Amino acid sequence: MSSGQAEQTVTVRQDDEQHESLTWVVACAVADLPDGEMTAINTEPPVAVYNVDGEFFSTADTCTHMKSSLTEGYLDGDQVECALHMATFCVRDGRATALPATVPLRTFEVKIEDNTLKVRLPASWVELA
Amino acid sequence: MSGASVAIVGASTAGAAAAYALRAEGHEGPVVLIGAEQTAPYERPPLSKDVLTSADDPQPLWLLTPDTYVSTNIELRLGAAVTSLETDGSRFRLALADGARLSADTVVLATGGRARRLDVLPADPRIHVLRTWADAQALRTQLRAADRALVLGSGLIGAECAASASSQGVEVEVIEAQHVPFPSLPSHEVRGALLRTFAQHGVTFRTGVTVTGCQAGSDGLIVSLSDGNVIETDLIVIGIGVEPMTGLADQLGAETQRGVLVDDRMRTSVPGLFAAGDVATRRIGDRLVRHEHFASAQAQGAAVARSVVGLDPVAPPAAWAWSDQFTHRLDVVGDPQGGTERRLRRGDDGSLVEFSLAGSRLVGVTALDAHRTVRDARRLIGGVLRAPAEGLEGNDVPLKQLVSTP
């Protein structure tokens, strides 16, 4: 994933009052992410995209418990389970739904354009990749 | 009940999970979490792994983020063991080692266990146990300067310490009193595969021997063994299990059975007194079960919170312990010892899964490097085979197709 795929850059105000520049990037072709599947985008840090019964969601790929890749785990409905210690998160809102995780995942806006799934990520995550 | 005050004794895995779950279940009364250690509740599993091996100064992995205590109004009292616990039948009175006195309507004992030591060993800073953050820091510091280490016991803690020390370039020898290495692992094949890996890393084992004495010299420890051998080493790690800390339950006369006895609602025999985690012996059906593992402690913390707020218990998840040793991931699910028949699945990738069956029921799994099967097994323990048991030996069939959901 290169920053050359960025389409537009906007600045939003985050909860922590830091200004962060977000940018839309291509995650994958819609056809490459069937129902019940998830995949990671090679940003830094990596980002996960999910297909839950035809609805698409995106969260950080890194478990907030011990920094394992969630897409190495299991997607069950709208719950993603970390393979390492079975923490679960709701991919719709990033909420931690089972211990040992208590910290939510960051979530990202998604859209579909031209049969392509796009996610809106911090520009710095894309530039570093 | 929602306005009642709850004192959780033990800022442990179970204790922190109980505090967190109490708030998640809507408990509104005061919650105080009391810990003997100075450190806020942290995860113990990394102590025998990353904390010993990381190049950078390790930091505790917090069970709850620091702002959780503020945002959910959980009072944290650290560095103060509870020294006495009394009740007048309706309210508990607690005395803390720092002189403070508290009272509470409900008390949850999550005091865990104390690492066992050996009477034949002297008190010496080079002789370690590993239970607390402070223990791990002390061991880490010495391992970095050590050439040789002797590990007593090859349970999960001993084996993980041996692997961590070895991966730091320390020459490691393991003394196991029983006649097989890794005696807590209920699979001959898994033990064998692990032992090969340890041997490849140069870790040596002596089984069926015990330590009979130790002389502490200025340039090392000289350890005598029951078979007459003498070993010189720079440091010793004792990994021979824990003693549940039942002292406060004893003060109240609560029933104990190698731990504080609790029912399916985590209640002790004393009204208002609950227990969870390593210290709790649960009566499950006609069996008495005490677990000393992270996932179980967390599940019990959540279970005790449900009970305190008056919710019905949910079935406890299948028991699950994991361990990381060198590059191996080891998982034990359910109760493999409870089976009468075993079936082994060897993966093309070197993974091993031993299924334990009681009749046609899957009761346990012991697995090496087999994530997906372990994940399925955690949901299928207690389920009944749909097909002949030989099917379990086939590599490519998902477990879900072979075992019904319990």
mmCIF file of all heavy atoms in Angstrom, chain B residues 13 28 53 73-74 82 107 114 124 127 142 220 259 269 286 300 307-308 330 338-339 347 383 385 401:
data_model
loop_
_atom_site.group_PDB
_atom_site.id
_atom_site.type_symbol
_atom_site.label_atom_id
_atom_site.label_comp_id
_atom_site.label_asym_id
_atom_site.label_seq_id
_atom_site.Cartn_x
_atom_site.Cartn_y
_atom_site.Cartn_z
ATOM 1 N N THR B 13 -5.130 -11.363 38.907
ATOM 2 C CA THR B 13 -5.881 -11.601 37.677
ATOM 3 C C THR B 13 -7.366 -11.743 37.992
ATOM 4 O O THR B 13 -8.216 -11.073 37.396
ATOM 5 C CB THR B 13 -5.369 -12.886 36.992
ATOM 6 O OG1 THR B 13 -3.955 -12.809 36.902
ATOM 7 C CG2 THR B 13 -5.969 -13.054 35.614
ATOM 8 N N GLU B 28 -23.156 -0.665 41.694
ATOM 9 C CA GLU B 28 -22.955 0.771 41.922
ATOM 10 C C GLU B 28 -22.259 1.093 43.229
ATOM 11 O O GLU B 28 -21.759 2.200 43.411
ATOM 12 C CB GLU B 28 -24.315 1.485 41.871
ATOM 13 C CG GLU B 28 -24.876 1.544 40.463
ATOM 14 C CD GLU B 28 -26.320 1.998 40.428
ATOM 15 O OE1 GLU B 28 -26.911 2.251 41.497
ATOM 16 O OE2 GLU B 28 -26.858 2.104 39.302
ATOM 17 N N THR B 53 13.259 -12.095 28.866
ATOM 18 C CA THR B 53 14.055 -12.145 27.636
ATOM 19 C C THR B 53 14.149 -10.816 26.895
ATOM 20 O O THR B 53 15.034 -10.656 26.060
ATOM 21 C CB THR B 53 13.465 -13.183 26.656
ATOM 22 O OG1 THR B 53 12.122 -12.818 26.374
ATOM 23 C CG2 THR B 53 13.494 -14.581 27.245
ATOM 24 N N ASN B 73 -14.520 4.021 38.819
ATOM 25 C CA ASN B 73 -14.566 4.208 40.267
ATOM 26 C C ASN B 73 -14.231 2.927 41.036
ATOM 27 O O ASN B 73 -15.003 2.446 41.862
ATOM 28 C CB ASN B 73 -15.945 4.743 40.675
ATOM 29 C CG ASN B 73 -15.939 5.293 42.086
ATOM 30 O OD1 ASN B 73 -14.869 5.593 42.627
ATOM 31 N ND2 ASN B 73 -17.106 5.405 42.683
ATOM 32 N N ILE B 74 -13.078 2.373 40.726
ATOM 33 C CA ILE B 74 -12.545 1.237 41.487
ATOM 34 C C ILE B 74 -11.389 1.777 42.327
ATOM 35 O O ILE B 74 -10.425 2.322 41.790
ATOM 36 C CB ILE B 74 -12.024 0.129 40.547
ATOM 37 C CG1 ILE B 74 -13.178 -0.464 39.737
ATOM 38 C CG2 ILE B 74 -11.297 -0.954 41.346
ATOM 39 C CD1 ILE B 74 -12.706 -1.338 38.566
ATOM 40 N N VAL B 82 -3.859 -7.713 53.428
ATOM 41 C CA VAL B 82 -4.887 -7.781 54.470
ATOM 42 C C VAL B 82 -4.381 -8.769 55.520
ATOM 43 O O VAL B 82 -4.062 -9.911 55.203
ATOM 44 C CB VAL B 82 -6.238 -8.235 53.893
ATOM 45 C CG1 VAL B 82 -7.259 -8.452 55.009
ATOM 46 C CG2 VAL B 82 -6.751 -7.196 52.898
ATOM 47 N N VAL B 107 -16.999 -9.615 50.726
ATOM 48 C CA VAL B 107 -15.559 -9.756 50.513
ATOM 49 C C VAL B 107 -15.314 -10.854 49.476
ATOM 50 O O VAL B 107 -15.924 -11.935 49.535
ATOM 51 C CB VAL B 107 -14.811 -10.090 51.826
ATOM 52 C CG1 VAL B 107 -13.358 -10.481 51.558
ATOM 53 C CG2 VAL B 107 -14.857 -8.891 52.787
ATOM 54 N N ARG B 114 1.121 -18.707 46.990
ATOM 55 C CA ARG B 114 2.500 -18.332 47.308
ATOM 56 C C ARG B 114 3.384 -19.383 46.660
ATOM 57 O O ARG B 114 3.105 -20.583 46.763
ATOM 58 C CB ARG B 114 2.672 -18.344 48.830
ATOM 59 C CG ARG B 114 4.030 -17.914 49.339
ATOM 60 C CD ARG B 114 4.127 -18.103 50.853
ATOM 61 N NE ARG B 114 3.284 -17.164 51.597
ATOM 62 C CZ ARG B 114 2.223 -17.513 52.344
ATOM 63 N NH1 ARG B 114 1.870 -18.789 52.437
ATOM 64 N NH2 ARG B 114 1.534 -16.607 52.991
ATOM 65 N N ASP B 124 19.104 -17.151 49.967
ATOM 66 C CA ASP B 124 20.222 -16.561 49.224
ATOM 67 C C ASP B 124 19.609 -15.815 48.047
ATOM 68 O O ASP B 124 18.693 -16.324 47.398
ATOM 69 C CB ASP B 124 21.142 -17.691 48.709
ATOM 70 C CG ASP B 124 22.410 -17.142 48.062
ATOM 71 O OD1 ASP B 124 22.313 -16.599 46.927
ATOM 72 O OD2 ASP B 124 23.485 -17.259 48.675
ATOM 73 N N ILE B 127 18.843 -17.581 44.798
ATOM 74 C CA ILE B 127 17.828 -18.648 44.737
ATOM 75 C C ILE B 127 16.462 -17.980 44.604
ATOM 76 O O ILE B 127 16.027 -17.248 45.489
ATOM 77 C CB ILE B 127 17.916 -19.550 45.979
ATOM 78 C CG1 ILE B 127 19.323 -20.164 46.034
ATOM 79 C CG2 ILE B 127 16.828 -20.621 45.928
ATOM 80 C CD1 ILE B 127 19.568 -21.044 47.242
ATOM 81 N N GLN B 142 19.678 -11.039 37.289
ATOM 82 C CA GLN B 142 20.739 -12.034 37.496
ATOM 83 C C GLN B 142 20.970 -12.903 36.264
ATOM 84 O O GLN B 142 22.100 -13.296 35.990
ATOM 85 C CB GLN B 142 20.401 -12.904 38.703
ATOM 86 C CG GLN B 142 20.617 -12.145 40.000
ATOM 87 C CD GLN B 142 20.499 -13.042 41.211
ATOM 88 O OE1 GLN B 142 20.541 -14.259 41.090
ATOM 89 N NE2 GLN B 142 20.334 -12.436 42.362
ATOM 90 N N GLY B 220 29.411 -19.011 43.367
ATOM 91 C CA GLY B 220 28.401 -19.913 42.839
ATOM 92 C C GLY B 220 27.697 -20.688 43.936
ATOM 93 O O GLY B 220 28.017 -20.578 45.121
ATOM 94 N N GLY B 259 -7.712 -25.317 49.074
ATOM 95 C CA GLY B 259 -8.070 -24.000 48.565
ATOM 96 C C GLY B 259 -9.368 -23.643 49.273
ATOM 97 O O GLY B 259 -9.908 -24.462 50.018
ATOM 98 N N SER B 269 -18.328 -21.047 52.376
ATOM 99 C CA SER B 269 -19.305 -21.481 53.388
ATOM 100 C C SER B 269 -19.677 -20.341 54.339
ATOM 101 O O SER B 269 -20.569 -20.511 55.172
ATOM 102 C CB SER B 269 -18.735 -22.679 54.170
ATOM 103 O OG SER B 269 -17.552 -22.296 54.837
ATOM 104 N N ASP B 286 -19.514 -33.475 40.942
ATOM 105 C CA ASP B 286 -19.006 -34.179 42.118
ATOM 106 C C ASP B 286 -17.484 -34.058 42.229
ATOM 107 O O ASP B 286 -16.859 -34.774 42.997
ATOM 108 C CB ASP B 286 -19.433 -35.655 42.072
ATOM 109 C CG ASP B 286 -19.027 -36.313 40.771
ATOM 110 O OD1 ASP B 286 -18.419 -35.633 39.917
ATOM 111 O OD2 ASP B 286 -19.311 -37.516 40.606
ATOM 112 N N GLN B 300 -13.197 -16.794 36.457
ATOM 113 C CA GLN B 300 -13.732 -16.850 37.823
ATOM 114 C C GLN B 300 -13.970 -15.450 38.383
ATOM 115 O O GLN B 300 -14.908 -15.231 39.154
ATOM 116 C CB GLN B 300 -12.782 -17.627 38.731
ATOM 117 C CG GLN B 300 -12.757 -19.107 38.423
ATOM 118 C CD GLN B 300 -11.829 -19.837 39.377
ATOM 119 O OE1 GLN B 300 -11.935 -19.717 40.588
ATOM 120 N NE2 GLN B 300 -10.911 -20.602 38.825
ATOM 121 N N SER B 307 -22.190 -13.288 40.471
ATOM 122 C CA SER B 307 -22.812 -13.809 41.671
ATOM 123 C C SER B 307 -23.068 -12.698 42.690
ATOM 124 O O SER B 307 -24.146 -12.626 43.293
ATOM 125 C CB SER B 307 -21.907 -14.898 42.262
ATOM 126 O OG SER B 307 -22.510 -15.475 43.384
ATOM 127 N N VAL B 308 -22.093 -11.809 42.885
ATOM 128 C CA VAL B 308 -22.232 -10.733 43.869
ATOM 129 C C VAL B 308 -23.417 -9.830 43.516
ATOM 130 O O VAL B 308 -24.152 -9.388 44.389
ATOM 131 C CB VAL B 308 -20.915 -9.921 43.971
ATOM 132 C CG1 VAL B 308 -21.133 -8.617 44.743
ATOM 133 C CG2 VAL B 308 -19.827 -10.759 44.652
ATOM 134 N N LEU B 330 1.971 -24.255 23.453
ATOM 135 C CA LEU B 330 1.406 -25.447 24.064
ATOM 136 C C LEU B 330 0.038 -25.087 24.632
ATOM 137 O O LEU B 330 -0.098 -24.020 25.229
ATOM 138 C CB LEU B 330 2.361 -25.798 25.198
ATOM 139 C CG LEU B 330 2.294 -27.089 25.899
ATOM 140 C CD1 LEU B 330 2.722 -28.189 24.953
ATOM 141 C CD2 LEU B 330 3.308 -27.026 27.054
ATOM 142 N N GLY B 338 -9.050 -36.887 32.489
ATOM 143 C CA GLY B 338 -10.354 -37.497 32.759
ATOM 144 C C GLY B 338 -10.795 -38.487 31.683
ATOM 145 O O GLY B 338 -11.900 -39.016 31.752
ATOM 146 N N GLY B 339 -9.946 -38.738 30.691
ATOM 147 C CA GLY B 339 -10.337 -39.612 29.600
ATOM 148 C C GLY B 339 -9.907 -41.054 29.817
ATOM 149 O O GLY B 339 -9.100 -41.358 30.693
ATOM 150 N N GLY B 347 0.076 -33.222 12.615
ATOM 151 C CA GLY B 347 -0.051 -32.354 11.454
ATOM 152 C C GLY B 347 1.183 -32.423 10.586
ATOM 153 O O GLY B 347 2.273 -32.731 11.059
ATOM 154 N N GLY B 383 -18.486 -32.362 24.206
ATOM 155 C CA GLY B 383 -19.307 -32.814 23.081
ATOM 156 C C GLY B 383 -19.058 -34.286 22.771
ATOM 157 O O GLY B 383 -18.081 -34.881 23.234
ATOM 158 N N LEU B 385 -18.665 -37.509 20.052
ATOM 159 C CA LEU B 385 -18.177 -37.820 18.705
ATOM 160 C C LEU B 385 -19.332 -38.148 17.768
ATOM 161 O O LEU B 385 -20.227 -38.907 18.117
ATOM 162 C CB LEU B 385 -17.254 -39.040 18.754
ATOM 163 C CG LEU B 385 -15.832 -38.831 19.262
ATOM 164 C CD1 LEU B 385 -15.099 -40.169 19.251
ATOM 165 C CD2 LEU B 385 -15.109 -37.828 18.391
ATOM 166 N N GLN B 401 -16.651 -30.850 12.589
ATOM 167 C CA GLN B 401 -17.385 -31.871 11.843
ATOM 168 C C GLN B 401 -17.356 -33.225 12.552
ATOM 169 O O GLN B 401 -18.109 -34.125 12.216
ATOM 170 C CB GLN B 401 -16.778 -32.032 10.448
ATOM 171 C CG GLN B 401 -17.032 -30.825 9.569
ATOM 172 C CD GLN B 401 -16.349 -30.950 8.228
ATOM 173 O OE1 GLN B 401 -16.019 -32.048 7.783
ATOM 174 N NE2 GLN B 401 -16.124 -29.823 7.583
#
